[in-house]
Amino acid sequence: MKYLFFIATVIILGIYDASAQYGYGGGGYGGNGYGRSRMGSSMMGAGASQQGPREEPKTSAELVDERINDYVTTFELDPFETEVLRTYLEDHFDNVMGLQKDKTKDAETLRKDFERMQTEFKTNLKSILTEEEIEKFIAMDFSSSAVRKRKKDRDN
């Protein structure tokens, strides 16, 4: 699971980097896919207003706030364990986001660093969860459909 997450992250970042370097292709950019059209500076600002505001990436605290209720109900955590988990999650998400932003490391170093972070995170979780619960914790799905299903089950 952790390898799948890492590979997906690397692919997404690679696609984002490639589109930033080479443009978006044909439509409206002179047909060659490289850079701006040759219409002049009067057209340069037109695209920005049509796109609307960009959504900022979520912070680690926002990610934790979205997920903490599912963890608390799934693992029946008391308030102390909930706060410990919140701290572990924020630290882990901060580390992962920092790793994703680090452009100086090669893919193999990034993979090793990510594996080290995952191991450290699992070690931290041992203070509040059993081995079986840790495996279930790591495997939890946070796609929108899975979150809706857990919420529906919780409400019933």
Side-chain angles (χ1 to χ4, degrees), residues 2 26 85 105 122:
K2 61 185 173 185
L85 179 61
K105 296 181 180 181
K122 286 180 183 179

Side-chain angles (χ1 to χ4, degrees), residues 14-155:
I15 291 170
Y16 177 75
D17 187 47
S19 67
Q21 288 181 8
Y22 299 111
Y24 297 103
Y29 288 95
N32 61 10
Y34 295 99
R36 301 189 188 280
S37 68
R38 298 178 191 187
M39 299 299 270
S41 61
S42 64
M43 293 297 291
M44 291 176 86
S49 63
Q50 293 173 355
Q51 291 177 351
R54 287 187 177 212
E55 186 176 321
E56 291 293 319
K58 293 181 180 178
T59 65
S60 59
E62 291 170 336
L63 288 171
V64 171
D65 288 340
E66 286 179 359
R67 297 177 179 197
I68 195 77
N69 290 334
D70 286 335
Y71 292 135
V72 169
T73 55
T74 301
F75 301 109
E76 299 174 358
L77 300 176
D78 62 35
F80 177 75
E81 292 172 329
T82 301
E83 288 308 310
V84 171
L85 179 61
R86 179 182 299 277
T87 303
Y88 290 159
L89 284 171
E90 284 183 10
D91 290 344
H92 181 67
F93 288 150
D94 282 337
N95 290 338
V96 170
M97 288 175 183
L99 189 63
Q100 289 173 339
K101 292 178 184 176
D102 190 356
K103 302 291 185 190
T104 62
K105 296 181 180 181
D106 64 347
E108 183 64 23
T109 306
L110 288 173
R111 185 186 61 77
K112 287 180 182 177
D113 287 349
F114 182 75
E115 287 176 359
R116 180 188 47 75
M117 281 189 270
Q118 285 291 96
T119 303
E120 183 180 309
F121 182 60
K122 286 180 183 179
T123 303
N124 288 339
L125 289 176
K126 287 180 183 178
S127 67
I128 57 173
L129 300 174
T130 65
E131 285 292 327
E132 294 81 25
E133 288 175 330
I134 291 173
E135 293 305 317
K136 185 177 177 182
F137 181 94
I138 298 298
M140 282 183 77
D141 182 9
F142 280 94
S143 65
S144 59
S145 59
V147 171
R148 279 193 306 268
K149 184 176 186 285
R150 277 196 298 272
K151 185 175 181 186
K152 183 179 177 184
D153 292 343
R154 193 171 43 226
D155 291 343

